[in-house]
Amino acid sequence: MIHVQDVHVTLGGTPVLHDVSFYVATGQIAGYVGPNGAGKTTTMRLLTGTLAPDHGRVVVAGVDVGAHPLEAKRRYGFVPEHGHIYESFTPEEYLLFVGRMYGLNETLVRTRIAALLRYWRLEDEAQRKMVGFSKGMKQKVLLSAALLHAPPVLLLDEPLSGLDAEAVLLVRALLRTWADAGHTVLYSSHILDAVERIADWVIVIREGQIIGEGSPEALKTETAAASLELAFSQLTATEDVLARTEQLMAEGFGE
């Protein structure tokens, strides 16, 4: 469902991705993790067609994104890390607008909107302008917009941003059910605990290169780590967190 093949990207003369390749199968939830600046957002830009690679190929749901960007857009739903929303719209107006852009049947769109707003417990806010919405409420609307056309692929960049504990549980349950129904999810996040709980497959990127991939259990076994966080720390050569904290306390807050 998602195939990134030998992709290289240079921005402003600086190499950002170095011959990146990975594959995400149908019905799979893949976590895409790495330190800040590793290339995760650049990868998302490639998958959504807002950035072209210097060389290499990007395929989403069987469509070459570079060759057929408009057709590719019909086949994925996307939630960006910093999503923007038309705050002068109500949730219902915004989702109707999105559904019509995808050319969906009006009755079907309204049925799905009602179901999604009920799922997030936003039905009482359906007719309220979103200008006063919290970040979490807006995130629920953005997630709804990504799901509205029932795409075969979901691309999620920090999808839990601003969500409360109940909404996080709802997202996890929804993504698992969505994947089990034959859809594919690429989930980019800094929250490794969330990735470990939901992902079937984890792809680790550092300094623009894929340095490891496998199931969460396989990565933990490979690194002899008790958690995905510790496995990630070893794979990315992250300095020991405890030692770093002890150094801070000794240098800055010791007697």
Side-chain angles (χ1 to χ4, degrees):
M1 269 297 177
I2 299 173
H3 191 191
V4 176
Q5 183 178 12
D6 301 325
V7 164
H8 185 89
V9 173
T10 301
L11 297 176
T14 302
V16 178
L17 295 179
H18 312 269
D19 297 319
V20 166
S21 296
F22 63 85
Y23 177 81
V24 184
T26 300
Q28 195 171 58
I29 301 176
Y32 195 50
V33 301
N36 288 334
K40 299 189 301 299
T41 297
T42 300
T43 304
M44 286 292 185
R45 291 180 63 194
L46 289 171
L47 290 167
T48 56
T50 59
L51 177 68
D54 299 333
H55 66 72
R57 188 165 179 252
V58 179
V59 177
V60 174
V63 176
D64 186 311
V65 176
H68 307 285
L70 187 59
E71 181 58 32
K73 291 180 191 300
R74 294 190 178 100
R75 302 196 183 198
Y76 67 76
F78 177 47
V79 178
E81 181 177 5
H82 303 292
H84 296 285
I85 206 163
Y86 295 121
E87 294 185 343
S88 61
F89 283 15
T90 68
E92 186 175 272
E93 288 170 340
Y94 179 76
L95 293 173
L96 277 170
F97 170 69
V98 171
R100 288 164 180 166
M101 281 201 304
Y102 282 108
L104 299 179
N105 174 275
E106 190 82 2
T107 301
L108 177 62
V109 170
R110 291 184 180 275
T111 298
R112 287 180 178 172
I113 289 171
L116 286 162
L117 294 179
R118 277 195 301 272
Y119 186 75
W120 303 117
R121 294 184 177 172
L122 286 177
E123 62 265 48
D124 291 341
E125 313 295 336
Q127 306 301 328
R128 180 181 153 202
K129 301 290 185 185
M130 291 187 287
V131 66
F133 276 23
S134 68
K135 179 172 176 52
M137 293 167 71
K138 292 175 184 175
Q139 191 73 357
K140 292 173 183 178
V141 176
L142 288 170
L143 284 161
S144 298
L147 292 162
L148 195 59
H149 61 298
V153 172
L154 277 178
L155 304 172
L156 308 176
D157 197 357
E158 298 291 353
L160 303 184
S161 178
L163 297 180
D164 59 28
E166 181 189 44
V168 168
L169 293 176
L170 287 170
V171 170
R172 288 176 182 163
L174 179 58
L175 294 184
R176 182 70 273 158
T177 304
W178 197 257
D180 289 345
H183 302 269
T184 301
V185 180
L186 182 64
Y187 182 129
S188 176
S189 180
H190 299 294
I191 307 173
L192 297 175
D193 178 63
V195 171
E196 185 171 9
R197 287 173 181 269
I198 191 64
D200 308 305
W201 194 257
V202 179
I203 303 161
V204 185
I205 184 170
R206 182 187 70 188
E207 296 178 352
Q209 293 180 300
I210 304 298
I211 59 168
E213 59 180 307
S215 69
E217 288 304 318
L219 289 177
K220 287 189 287 185
T221 299
E222 177 186 334
T223 57
S227 69
L228 186 60
E229 286 186 334
L230 293 174
F232 174 82
S233 179
Q234 291 189 40
L235 288 167
T236 58
T238 304
E239 189 177 350
D240 181 74
V241 173
L242 181 58
R244 193 166 168 178
T245 304
E246 289 175 345
Q247 182 179 4
L248 168 67
M249 298 306 294
E251 293 178 351
F253 298 92
E255 295 181 359

